[in-house]
């Protein structure tokens, strides 16, 4: 049973991350365009993508909690690597909702950032996810 939970946790996390990596890329293109027609199309694409990946974010959390419960309290208490991973994941969830704020700003024509800002925020989560994967697989601490 635990292996199935792990597989589902990894799958929904991958689906979620794919969306989190693509949404800021849409913001890059959105920030670069001057066409009102293109801006409206980006608003639709960004909203649909955010709402498509949000259930994967929820399922990532559900399967993660289910795994912790399955392993038990003693395992959780002894798993320092998991505590660090959870702290990093709280940051990823904050990032997820920050992207929603940015999406709303674009939809209301209140974008205050240039395409370079969106390029940077598109790349930063890669490092966090790398750390999360290393923690989960290698368990260095």
């Amino acid at each position: 049973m635990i292996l199935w939970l792990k597989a589902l946790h990894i799958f929904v996390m991958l689906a979620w991350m794919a969306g989190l990596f693509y949404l800021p890329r849409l913001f890059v293109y959105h920030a670069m365009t001057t066409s009102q027609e293109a801006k409206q199309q980006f608003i639709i694409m960004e909203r649909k993508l955010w709402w498509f990946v949000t259930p994967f974010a929820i399922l990532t959390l559900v399967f993660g909690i289910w795994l912790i419960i399955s392993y038990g309290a003693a395992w959780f208490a002894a798993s320092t690597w998991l505590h660090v991973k959870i702290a990093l994941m709280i940051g990823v969830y904050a990032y997820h909702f920050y992207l929603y704020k940015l999406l709303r700003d674009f939809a209301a024509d209140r974008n205050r950032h240039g395409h370079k800002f969106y390029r940077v925020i598109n790349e930063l989560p890669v490092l966090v996810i790398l750390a999360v994967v290393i923690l989960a697989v290698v368990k260095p601490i």
Side-chain angles (χ1 to χ4, degrees), residues 5-20:
L5 286 175
K6 282 183 182 181
L8 290 170
H9 180 66
I10 292 167
F11 171 75
V12 295
M13 184 273 303
L14 287 171
W16 176 33
M17 290 305 111
L20 287 188

Side-chain angles (χ1 to χ4, degrees), residues 62-74:
V62 167
F63 287 126
I65 291 170
W66 195 351
L67 278 164
I68 290 168
I69 292 168
S70 296
Y71 276 106

Side-chain angles (χ1 to χ4, degrees), residues 8-83:
L8 290 170
H9 180 66
I10 292 167
F11 171 75
V12 295
M13 184 273 303
L14 287 171
W16 176 33
M17 290 305 111
L20 287 188
F21 294 154
Y22 187 54
L23 185 55
R25 180 56 48 187
L26 288 175
F27 292 162
V28 168
Y29 303 135
H30 192 158
M32 291 175 66
T33 191
T34 56
S35 162
Q36 276 307 116
E37 186 176 311
K39 286 181 181 184
Q40 289 306 308
Q41 187 63 40
F42 280 121
I43 289 169
I44 292 166
M45 293 168 63
E46 292 156 0
R47 185 185 69 240
K48 285 184 176 186
L49 179 60
W50 195 87
W51 286 107
F52 177 76
V53 300
T54 296
F56 293 122
I58 294 165
L59 288 171
T60 298
L61 181 62
V62 167
F63 287 126
I65 291 170
W66 195 351
L67 278 164
I68 290 168
I69 292 168
S70 296
Y71 276 106
W75 172 83
F76 179 74
S79 300
T80 305
W81 66 269
L82 182 56
H83 302 161

